[in-house]
Amino acid sequence: MVIIGLAIFFIGSKGSSQLESSRVIGGLLIAIAALLFMILKTRISTFPALIIAGIITGSLGGMKSDVMIQSITKGFGGTLGHIGIVIGFGVMMGALLQLSGASRRMALTFIRFLGKEREELALVLIGLIVSMAVFCDSAFIVLTPLVKSLSRSSGKSIVGLGATLAAGLVISHSMIPPAVGPFGVASQFDMPIGTFMLWSMVVAIPVTICGYLYTSRLGEKIYIVPAEDGDGFSRERIQPSETASADEHLPGKVISFAPLIVPILLILLATFFRETGILAAYQGQWQGTLGQMCITLGHPVVAVGTGLLIAVIGLGGCYERKEVIQSMDNAIRSAGIILLLIGGGGALGMVLRDSGAANMIAGYIVKIGVPGVLLPLLLSTLIRLIQGSGAVAMITAASITAPMIKTLGVDPIIAGLGCTVGSFMFSYFNDAYFWVVNRSLGVTEVQEQVRVWSVTSTILWAAGSVTLLVVNWLFF
């Protein structure tokens, strides 16, 4: 109702110099209200809702119909043209990590390397790595048996162990490319993916520390362990045992880590050469050729494709061809809605650019003195609270704010980070991950469910928001 009231105010504004801008801004506010209504109250999914919002914005903003449709198709195709291949490769690689047990091998490697009494630290670290390729809810389900085994062998509450893993998974899933959501945000702002990855990792450090400090102590307050028969849970304290995690059928350490580590190193190496130009300065010599080759190998399409090939050859060789292909095809199907969502966000963003609504909104924000750096963060936070999905929140916020950042004077890196950080805010009943985490850990009481995951996600949001503002103040 507030948004609609603002729209009526703008549309009804008088004065020849402001009539057109008022109509455009009013149309955008109505479109945002319609978008939220469709997502929350109707059976229309987010993808068509974004397209419809773009049509409303363009129509009420005075765009000609052919120009508006052209903007929608150009925004949709242009966005997916940048990242569609990378996302496809990434989810297929994640499917092979899950099928082969490589994600479990990585977790066991960290646990054994760090030793006893550091299980929580091992779990948060493996969460940060695994969820760059595997969706966080799928990764959590795959790794839950390992968490249960650790709980029985260590005598620690599964709540503290599981919540720590869940935090690590959601941080990389929401912040660090090549995870799908952050990659989609980067595409909306058309920024170098390697640079965005580096800054995402920087901001993720204090976010991870704060989340770890909270979740690692949850087990002291909420003590739950898996039942001895493996079916159900118990609140009776148990003594540590020497139960070992079976891993005889898991792939080796090197081949388990390689599909994820190699693409990341290639992208970061290419960013180094591109930003510094060290070897490229020697054009015509072998150094210049080496630099260009590194930049080519570090392109996200080539880098993630290389990781996929490593996974297919190194991890898929032990399985039937049909099983490997079916696993990758199923992953593509699950990622289809994310691809459409990202494309829909690109379509809405292009309409905002071409209609002039973005610059007009940005101009009003500058006039009233609201810091532009807060806009992506607050918009993502609001959408997250309203409809629950972190991916929808960050991509919708990015599609709306990306056309405005030049006028606002905000660096694209900071704006993109604001969109990803905002998607953490207070996960509760309308977020599927809330139920995945709590139900998998045997947490059934509402008050405890909120403490386990709603408070955790809010701590991640608060730590990310403060870090974002500090980074913007110091470096941008």
Side-chain angles (χ1 to χ4, degrees), residues 91-92 95-96 99 319-334:
V91 296
M92 293 168 76
L96 291 177
L99 172 69
Y319 299 87
E320 295 290 335
R321 176 180 178 274
K322 182 179 180 180
E323 187 177 5
V324 172
I325 292 177
Q326 184 178 9
S327 175
M328 291 190 290
D329 287 348
N330 289 338
I332 289 293
R333 293 189 189 99
S334 67

Side-chain angles (χ1 to χ4, degrees), residues 457-476:
S457 62
T458 304
I459 289 172
L460 301 181
W461 175 88
S465 300
V466 173
T467 305
L468 178 69
L469 295 176
V470 172
V471 167
N472 179 66
W473 177 57
L474 292 176
F475 301 103
F476 290 91

Side-chain angles (χ1 to χ4, degrees), residues 135-349:
F135 292 120
C136 61
D137 48 357
S138 299
F140 189 83
I141 292 171
V142 168
L143 293 173
T144 294
L146 175 62
V147 176
K148 289 182 177 180
S149 176
L150 286 173
S151 177
R152 294 295 307 179
S153 62
S154 66
K156 293 182 179 180
S157 172
I158 192 176
V159 173
L161 297 169
T164 303
L165 171 65
L169 289 168
V170 81
I171 289 169
S172 62
H173 175 78
S174 301
M175 290 190 67
I176 306 175
V180 174
F183 218 115
V185 170
S187 71
Q188 300 288 349
F189 290 97
D190 194 23
M191 67 180 85
I193 192 65
T195 306
F196 184 59
M197 182 186 296
L198 281 172
W199 282 109
S200 296
M201 292 176 178
V202 170
V203 176
I205 292 173
V207 174
T208 303
I209 292 173
C210 291
Y212 170 78
L213 291 176
Y214 176 75
T215 57
S216 61
R217 288 167 174 75
L218 266 177
E220 301 172 4
K221 307 295 182 181
I222 306 173
Y223 189 84
I224 299 175
V225 291
E228 290 188 16
D229 57 4
D231 185 20
F233 297 88
S234 171
R235 291 182 181 258
E236 296 182 5
R237 293 194 174 270
I238 61 173
Q239 296 299 317
S241 65
E242 296 299 325
T243 303
S245 298
D247 61 346
E248 58 271 13
H249 300 299
L250 299 179
K253 299 181 181 67
V254 174
I255 194 60
S256 295
F257 281 93
L260 276 174
I261 300 301
V262 169
I264 293 172
L265 291 178
L266 288 174
I267 291 173
L268 295 180
L269 187 63
T271 301
F272 172 78
F273 285 122
R274 187 183 296 109
E275 296 295 329
T276 61
I278 292 176
L279 294 183
Y282 299 92
Q283 295 295 339
Q285 301 180 30
W286 72 268
Q287 293 98 332
T289 303
L290 177 61
Q292 289 302 314
M293 185 171 62
C294 289
I295 290 174
T296 300
L297 290 174
H299 188 282
V301 172
V302 179
V304 180
T306 301
L308 174 60
L309 287 177
I310 294 172
V312 170
I313 297 170
L315 299 175
C318 300
Y319 299 87
E320 295 290 335
R321 176 180 178 274
K322 182 179 180 180
E323 187 177 5
V324 172
I325 292 177
Q326 184 178 9
S327 175
M328 291 190 290
D329 287 348
N330 289 338
I332 289 293
R333 293 189 189 99
S334 67
I337 185 60
I338 301 294
L339 287 167
L340 291 175
L341 175 61
I342 293 171
L348 175 58

Side-chain angles (χ1 to χ4, degrees), residues 85-103:
I85 297 174
V86 178
I87 290 176
F89 285 169
V91 296
M92 293 168 76
M93 178 176 65
L96 291 177
L97 292 176
Q98 184 173 329
L99 172 69
S100 65
S103 57

Side-chain angles (χ1 to χ4, degrees), residues 440-462:
S440 299
L441 302 180
V443 183
T444 57
E445 297 181 12
V446 173
Q447 184 178 3
E448 290 182 342
Q449 289 174 340
V450 170
R451 290 174 64 188
V452 169
W453 194 241
S454 301
V455 175
T456 298
S457 62
T458 304
I459 289 172
L460 301 181
W461 175 88

Side-chain angles (χ1 to χ4, degrees), residues 28-29 32 189 352 357-366 368-383 393-394 396-411 414-423 461 468-469 472:
L28 173 59
L29 293 173
I32 293 174
F189 290 97
L352 293 179
N359 286 334
M360 293 177 188
I361 287 283
Y364 277 108
I365 292 172
V366 171
I368 63 178
V370 176
V373 66
L374 294 178
L375 181 61
L377 172 66
L378 295 179
L379 187 57
S380 178
T381 299
L382 177 64
I383 297 172
M394 69 174 74
T396 304
S399 65
I400 293 174
T401 57
M404 306 180 188
I405 57 173
K406 285 187 179 180
T407 305
L408 293 173
V410 180
D411 191 280
I414 292 296
L417 289 172
C419 293
T420 60
V421 169
S423 69
W461 175 88
L468 178 69
L469 295 176
N472 179 66

Side-chain angles (χ1 to χ4, degrees), residues 53-64:
I55 293 173
I56 293 173
T57 301
S59 299
L60 296 182
M63 294 182 72
K64 294 181 179 180

